[in-house]
Amino acid sequence: MDSLESFRQEIQSWLEQNCPVSQRQLREGEEAVPWGSPQFGEEAQQWLDRCAAKGFTCPSWPKEYGGGGLSKEQERVLRQEIGTIGAQVPGGSFGTHMLGPVLLELGSHEQKLRFLPDIAAGRTVWAQGYSEPGAGSDLAGLQTRAVRNGDEYVINGSKIWTTGANNADWMFCLVRTDPEAAKHDGISFILFNLKSPGVTISPIELISGASEFCEVFFEDVRAKAENLIGEKNKGWAIAKRLLQFERTMISGFGAGPGGKRSGKKKRVAKVYRAMADMALQYQPQKDGKLANVTLRDQLTQNEMDTICFTLSTKRAGEEAKAGAGPGHTASMFKWYATELNKRRQELIMTSLGSKALGWEGEGFEPHELAQTRAWLRSKGNSIEGGTSEVQMNVIAKRVLGLPD
Amino acid sequence: MALALTEEQQILQSTAREFIAANAPVTHLRGLRDGKDATGFSRDLWAEMAKLGWAGLIEDEANGGSALGFGELAVLFEECGRKLAPSPFLASVVLAGGCVRAGAPAELRNPILSGVARGETLLALALDEGATFAPYAVTAKAEKSGDGWVLTGEKTFVLDGHVADRLVVVARTSGSSGDRDGLTLFLVDAPAKGLTITRTTMVDNRNAATVKLDGVAAEVVLGTVDQGADVLDPVLDRATAVFCAEMLGLMTEAFEHTIEYLKTREQFGVKIGTFQGLKHRAAAMFAELELSRSVVRETVSAIDDDGPDVPTLVCVAKARCSDAVSLIAREMLQMHGGIGMTDEADIGFYLKRARVQELTFGDASYHRDRFATLQGY
Ligand SMILES: Cc1cc2nc3c(=O)[nH]c(=O)nc-3n(C[C@H](O)[C@H](O)[C@H](O)COP(=O)(O)OP(=O)(O)OC[C@H]3O[C@@H](n4cnc5c(N)ncnc54)[C@H](O)[C@@H]3O)c2cc1C
Ligand SMILES: Cc1cc2nc3c(=O)[nH]c(=O)nc-3n(C[C@H](O)[C@H](O)[C@H](O)COP(=O)(O)OP(=O)(O)OC[C@H]3O[C@@H](n4cnc5c(N)ncnc54)[C@H](O)[C@@H]3O)c2cc1C
């Protein structure tokens, strides 16, 4: 038997013994998406801890940093098998998907040892301190200042739209360390504890009713100089690298809820089967088909787009492996996936008709109420992590080489 | 299933690209048009392609072919599509050739197919009757007469029908128009009595013919009487898949040309590619192109793996490519400004061919409907 096959069997029996039955169901919508800090129930926490102990939350990270030390092929097998039992790799977060990969590439050994194991084990929740009131799309226009004082930096300024800051322990933050330098040349990337004196966090309510967003104010907040990642004033390159990871993460949601998991093709078919069944249930039929031919056509188009999108991410993977990767496709995928997801949400709304318009209380099923909010939340997809327009600028410039 | 090209396929691709660039750039098609060429493609060029092994690419070695797959075939179609290279490749090798491969009696099958593989025999499929693709909407009739059959009816849009040595004719032996059952495929010699083939000149300067069947005698049935759709359906799916590769070639070339123009043409003292009004549309085209490429690759490799999802993938591929080729060809014209309207530029050739491609084997809404029906909603 080849070693990958025996690895698969090992995983199968480990999962059988360790994954609580309650965790063997796909988490949908917001729950499946690692924004902010999910609140774990008892069995979910148990599942997370067991995975973390094996390094399965970050399967390809080195073991010494809390990962599983698995090869890409083994990681794929692991994800497939977890997907097969209907579960998902627990603990996805800004830490695992964004900061972790950046630290692995660009952090010092000490920094990796200090931060990565806590991320992998889900012990620290991270927030992303990028956007400011005057610097959203124009991220490099940020004004939050950090001034060196002995072995510390003293931070003043504010951040906005910070997802999950109210539940977070630490922040990775972009700060201006040289106000005289050109826009992109005076930025640094620093980590600090959000419980530090001088940090004020106030939640902002979203249109979906959730309040995962925060405004964060810094007044003489002290951060250890050793927690500056990379070189002082060279933070812009790190910031952009992290955005690539962020875009890749977000585009993973385009393949339907839980689209990053294994068995994507089957999963896509399942998601759309469910959407079609729902439409057939709520909308008039004619000869067993949806009588609303426009809706039928749009559902089909959306499913086809999703199939093409999923195949494209797969092809990008295969071509990258063969050394012929097109590069910079993260922006294309981010743009396409989020617009696709918004269209999908609109279609589900149309399918459910007035049943999708409930807000709370009587008269609506829980999944109908959840749909209303999922639809509203999806509007943020094409804004967070860089707007669609900004992604298209990146594609035009970086991929197609069009002039400025 | 392989989405990335293999090394062998990449070699095939670069040889084909060089060959087409040297022998069949768009000026080749332009020359045929301006000369009102009666064939509509160059028989010499087709002979050259056959010599390179293209006509026999998917044919068995016993019949002089090289027994490669649709993955390789798609590579060639894509390169032909880039330069709009005209040839009877699709009609002879994939469409009618496919019907013969799947349904002809053994004693005919091999001699015909080895002739096709040498590029000497030309075949065509006479299927369509109306103005849109509807493979079961057949009213042409076949009636029993002694040991054979007599065919009557009229066919349209018979690709390369005017030069075919033999036609595969789809006729109804029972049932009524629209039924899947009751179709039968017949092999008919082109000079048969009662057969009139008239060439029509299409907007893209390619060839389709109208075929009149006025009591044409036919003896050879491909497949089983009344069950012709069993032969026809997989052949149409396979032909559609490689045709999508041709569309991919067209849109790739059109896209690259347009991007190049955006980088060079100056207006208002700057390159027009600096205008965001064009940039974002270019980015959208790029996504369309990439998504099309992925689904075409998946579809041809599913054919080679004999996967169960070939029909649904064909729907996805053709719907996607029809929409994408249309968008990219239209944007190509618009983004070239006035020059795009001139016959002197090749842009119009791309636009015209794209319109034909959009429709051939069913447009996007046809394939969305078929897909939804296959999925049960
Ligand atoms: C749900 C959600 C979660 C988020 N989480 C975080 C987080 O955790 N941490 C964090 O730091 N930030 C976060 N953000 C902020 C996000 O990164 C910004 O909202 C985003 O970068 C856009 O900035 P802005 O809101 O200031 O919009 P603006 O930049 O003011 O943009 C307004 C409009 O102008 C367009 N526009 C701007 N510049 C251009 C241009 N050059 N060309 C064409 N159009 C342009 C935009 O596309 C947009 O449509 C989050 C946002 C959302 C919606
Ligand atoms: C059928 C026809 C009849 C015509 N008749 C006449 C006539 O009688 N008299 C006459 O003088 N002219 C005539 N014209 C010329 C016509 O006015 C020009 O073709 C037109 O102004 C566009 O200029 P252009 O062709 O140089 O394209 P370009 O200006 O080179 O444009 C190329 C592309 O860039 C885009 N573009 C250019 N600038 C910008 C910008 N600032 N922002 C965004 N996109 C931009 C354009 O929209 C176009 O898509 C005719 C053209 C046609 C096609």
Side-chain angles (χ1 to χ4, degrees), chain A residues 265 273 276 296-297 300-301 303-305 311-312 315 318 335-336 389 392-393 399-401 403-404, chain B residues 1 3-4 263 274 276 279-280 286-287 290-291 293-294 298 309 320 368-369 371-373 375 377:
Chain A
K265 235 163 120 180
R273 184 69 254 173
R296 180 170 177 267
D297 190 68
T300 309
Q301 170 115 49
E303 178 169 1
M304 288 180 160
D305 288 348
L311 289 170
S312 297
R315 179 165 66 89
E318 285 186 21
W335 166 64
Y336 199 86
E389 290 76 15
M392 295 187 98
N393 289 346
V399 184
L400 306 179
D404 264 332
Chain B
M1 266 174 236
L3 288 161
K263 288 179 188 171
T274 59
Q276 202 172 60
K279 269 193 172 129
H280 284 192
F286 173 69
E290 288 299 307
L291 265 63
R293 188 174 303 287
S294 307
E298 178 79 357
D309 48 354
R320 160 66 53 187
R368 283 198 291 272
D369 176 62
F371 180 92
T373 305
Q375 306 286 61
Y377 44 91

Side-chain angles (χ1 to χ4, degrees), chain A residues 86-301:
Chain A
Q88 70 190 61
V89 182
S93 66
F94 282 7
T96 55
H97 289 293
M98 290 152 58
L99 179 62
V102 160
L103 284 180
L104 273 176
E105 273 184 21
L106 304 162
S108 68
H109 178 62
E110 290 71 29
Q111 289 169 336
K112 291 178 199 174
L113 276 181
R114 166 75 182 81
F115 296 110
L116 291 177
D118 283 343
I119 290 175
R123 278 191 294 267
T124 43
V125 175
W126 286 85
Q128 178 184 28
Y130 270 39
S131 304
E132 297 183 8
S137 298
D138 186 14
L139 182 59
L142 60 96
Q143 296 301 327
T144 293
R145 288 283 316 269
V147 178
R148 180 88 187 227
N149 183 343
D151 55 5
E152 288 179 332
Y153 280 95
V154 180
I155 302 171
N156 280 285
S158 73
K159 295 285 170 181
I160 194 167
W161 315 133
T162 319
T163 304
N166 47 346
N167 294 311
D169 305 303
W170 280 69
M171 172 177 272
F172 52 91
C173 191
L174 296 180
V175 290
R176 188 159 294 288
T177 37
D178 182 356
E180 308 302 324
K183 202 164 152 183
H184 297 94
D185 295 338
I187 294 172
S188 298
F189 188 102
I190 196 164
L191 316 180
F192 57 85
N193 196 318
L194 278 175
K195 309 286 188 304
S196 308
V199 177
T200 316
I201 298 170
S202 57
I204 307 170
E205 190 170 331
L206 296 190
I207 53 174
S208 62
S211 47
E212 52 178 327
F213 262 178
C214 296
E215 240 176 317
V216 188
F217 302 93
F218 312 118
E219 210 186 316
D220 291 333
V221 175
R222 290 173 177 271
K224 282 191 186 158
E226 69 198 35
N227 292 339
L228 190 117
I229 308 299
E231 274 178 63
K232 185 182 172 186
N233 296 331
K234 298 270 167 63
W236 184 243
I238 303 176
K240 281 198 302 187
R241 186 71 185 127
L242 186 129
L243 284 177
Q244 286 183 342
F245 289 119
E246 179 172 17
R247 285 160 195 170
T248 305
M249 171 185 84
I250 295 174
S251 54
F253 311 141
K260 264 192 113 64
R261 278 188 302 276
S262 61
K264 276 187 196 162
K265 235 163 120 180
K266 276 197 197 124
R267 179 79 190 123
V268 169
K270 237 177 166 170
V271 167
Y272 281 90
R273 184 69 254 173
M275 276 170 64
D277 286 344
M278 202 154 62
L280 287 164
Q281 179 195 337
Y282 286 88
Q283 299 289 323
Q285 296 186 22
K286 195 175 169 228
D287 306 327
K289 291 180 183 177
L290 284 170
N292 180 340
V293 291
T294 310
L295 177 62
R296 180 170 177 267
D297 190 68
Q298 287 172 340
L299 272 173
T300 309
Q301 170 115 49

Side-chain angles (χ1 to χ4, degrees), chain A residues 32-60:
Chain A
V33 174
W35 307 117
S37 56
Q39 298 295 313
F40 286 119
E42 197 181 318
E43 291 208 326
Q45 186 65 45
Q46 196 178 46
W47 172 223
L48 171 67
D49 291 343
R50 286 175 183 169
C51 281
K54 296 278 286 184
F56 288 171
T57 52
C58 302
S60 61

Side-chain angles (χ1 to χ4, degrees), chain B residues 22-357:
Chain B
N23 297 283
V26 184
T27 45
H28 173 68
L29 179 62
R30 183 185 284 280
L32 293 166
R33 182 199 66 174
D34 293 346
K36 295 200 184 300
D37 187 274
T39 310
F41 60 85
S42 156
R43 284 183 187 269
D44 288 345
L45 180 66
W46 181 236
E48 287 290 315
M49 289 173 167
K51 239 187 247 156
L52 289 175
W54 292 12
L57 198 78
I58 51 168
E59 192 47 58
D60 290 348
E61 283 165 9
N63 289 333
S66 37
L68 290 170
F70 278 72
E72 286 73 29
L73 201 59
V75 166
L76 297 183
F77 270 83
E78 185 179 337
E79 293 309 315
C80 293
R82 271 178 170 265
K83 301 291 181 198
L84 317 176
S87 80
F89 208 168
L90 181 73
S92 192
V93 175
V94 190
L95 265 181
C99 295
V100 170
R101 203 167 292 121
E107 68 278 9
L108 278 176
R109 188 180 177 277
N110 293 348
I112 295 177
L113 291 176
S114 51
V116 169
R118 285 192 305 272
E120 288 163 8
T121 307
L122 295 180
L123 307 177
L125 173 69
L127 170 64
D128 285 359
E129 298 185 1
T132 53
F133 183 69
Y136 307 148
V138 169
T139 56
K141 256 197 326 216
E143 284 167 316
K144 197 93 197 144
S145 154
D147 282 351
W149 302 78
V150 174
L151 310 180
T152 43
E154 194 169 327
K155 296 286 179 181
T156 63
F157 205 52
V158 181
L159 302 173
D160 293 312
H162 66 302
V163 288
D165 303 302
R166 289 164 182 254
L167 290 177
V168 174
V169 178
V170 185
R172 188 158 287 289
T173 35
S174 68
S176 46
S177 179
D179 294 349
R180 186 177 185 276
D181 283 343
L183 299 178
T184 306
L185 273 51
F186 296 93
L187 193 62
V188 175
D189 281 344
K193 202 165 151 261
L195 188 68
T196 322
I197 303 177
T198 317
R199 181 187 178 194
T200 55
T201 309
M202 312 277 295
V203 64
D204 63 341
N205 319 304
R206 296 295 309 278
N207 307 292
T210 30
V211 170
K212 276 209 178 99
L213 301 146
D214 192 5
V216 175
E219 275 168 16
V220 183
V221 169
L222 305 181
T224 312
V225 173
D226 280 346
Q227 306 302 318
D230 291 349
V231 172
L232 192 61
D233 286 351
V235 168
L236 287 175
D237 276 345
R238 280 156 177 72
T240 307
V242 288
F243 190 66
C244 285
E246 185 189 312
M247 299 169 83
L248 183 64
L250 188 154
M251 63 179 104
T252 305
E253 186 81 10
F255 175 74
E256 288 173 359
H257 252 283
T258 307
I259 297 301
E260 209 37 55
Y261 195 69
L262 298 182
K263 288 179 188 171
T264 43
R265 170 73 173 169
E266 288 193 13
Q267 289 287 279
F268 301 97
V270 292
K271 306 273 190 269
I272 58 172
T274 59
F275 301 128
Q276 202 172 60
L278 300 183
K279 269 193 172 129
H280 284 192
R281 281 151 55 196
M285 280 195 271
F286 173 69
E288 288 295 316
L289 180 64
E290 288 299 307
L291 265 63
S292 302
R293 188 174 303 287
S294 307
V295 68
V296 169
R297 294 264 168 81
E298 178 79 357
T299 307
V300 293
S301 66
I303 290 172
D304 286 332
D305 294 348
D306 214 3
D309 48 354
V310 169
T312 45
L313 278 171
V314 165
C315 292
V316 183
K318 185 60 170 62
R320 160 66 53 187
C321 288
S322 284
D323 284 341
V325 83
S326 165
L327 172 81
I328 294 175
R330 285 181 284 119
E331 288 285 46
M332 180 190 205
L333 195 123
Q334 175 63 22
M335 290 187 185
H336 276 80
I339 194 91
M341 289 296 294
T342 65
D343 185 68
E344 190 190 340
D346 289 335
I347 292 159
F349 281 70
Y350 282 80
L351 181 82
K352 292 169 186 174
R353 181 71 187 148
R355 199 67 177 90
V356 174
Q357 289 180 336

